[in-house]
Amino acid sequence: DVKVTQSSRYLVKRTGEKVFLECVQDMDHENMFWYRQDPGLGLRLIYFSYDVKMKEKGDIPEGYSVSREKKERFSLILESASTNQTSMYLCASSSRRVGTEAFFGQGTRLTVV
Amino acid sequence: KQEVTQIPAALSVPEGENLVLNCSFTDSAIYNLQWFRQDPGKGLTSLLLIQSSQREQTSGRLNASLDKSSGRSTLYIAASQPGDSATYLCAVSFLMDSNYQLIWGAGTKLIIKP
């Protein structure tokens, strides 16, 4: 069974903290994505990666960075958490082969206080 | 630029009814279209994937169709149940500058009333 696993379901962090959100997939997928989801705004792409050590900015990269040191792991980093980064964060992965599905993790609900 | 629109944004129907959710996209050069379900506060679950060469896919009470030329897909849910209540999202995949892209609709929030 395919699996994308996010390290935490719920996180509460303080303003100014450095926050790491981890995502691991066991499908040997090349592509990995980080999204945030907010009411009324839908899914918005933060960063994505097409290969190890490769990263591309999505629609809303400001305030975030990512790391992909290994193929199976894609980390989202909030350098200095702010209250407007309170959101649901979703990780996804897919094969580079044309026409394949994207699979999602269970999501991390991050609250910054 | 590829845009994906889902109408309606919300839908409430009595249990047992058949219903249709709509997804439209502006650029027909897609590789596939995927329908997802999301329950409140949780991640996404893939429901159906339709390749660009296919017209429809079926899974249980769900049937998804794809008309690439008109830029439309529908998700048909037969004999709706309260457990079908969720937000349904569609996403299209395509190649842009040699990179794989996924573009999402905003979703349709479905409520099935017992």
Side-chain angles (χ1 to χ4, degrees), chain B residues 3-11 19-25 33-36 63-67 70-77 87-92 104-110:
Chain B
E3 292 181 3
V4 179
T5 305
Q6 289 186 248
I7 295 173
L11 181 64
L19 59 100
V20 174
L21 306 181
N22 297 293
C23 174
S24 61
F25 46 95
L33 184 145
Q34 200 166 355
W35 282 94
F36 292 86
N63 176 278
S65 68
L66 175 64
D67 184 341
S70 67
R72 297 175 66 178
S73 175
T74 60
L75 179 67
Y76 174 84
I77 302 177
T87 297
Y88 291 80
L89 298 109
C90 70
V92 298
W104 294 85
T108 294
K109 184 175 182 179
L110 176 65

Side-chain angles (χ1 to χ4, degrees), chain A residues 41-57:
Chain A
L41 297 176
L43 277 169
R44 292 181 292 168
L45 182 63
I46 305 171
Y47 268 96
F48 57 95
S49 169
Y50 292 117
D51 206 344
V52 176
K53 296 190 186 294
M54 183 275 184
K55 58 187 179 184
E56 292 284 345
K57 293 180 180 179

Side-chain angles (χ1 to χ4, degrees), chain B residues 24-78:
Chain B
S24 61
F25 46 95
T26 54
D27 188 341
S28 62
I30 65 170
Y31 282 115
N32 61 37
L33 184 145
Q34 200 166 355
W35 282 94
F36 292 86
R37 168 190 174 132
Q38 186 178 31
D39 293 289
K42 297 187 179 179
L44 277 71
T45 301
S46 177
L47 296 174
L48 289 163
L49 170 71
I50 312 177
Q51 303 293 352
S52 62
S53 58
Q54 297 174 325
R55 297 283 293 181
E56 65 177 348
Q57 283 286 335
T58 299
S59 175
R61 293 182 294 109
L62 305 179
N63 176 278
S65 68
L66 175 64
D67 184 341
K68 247 182 47 166
S69 60
S70 67
R72 297 175 66 178
S73 175
T74 60
L75 179 67
Y76 174 84
I77 302 177

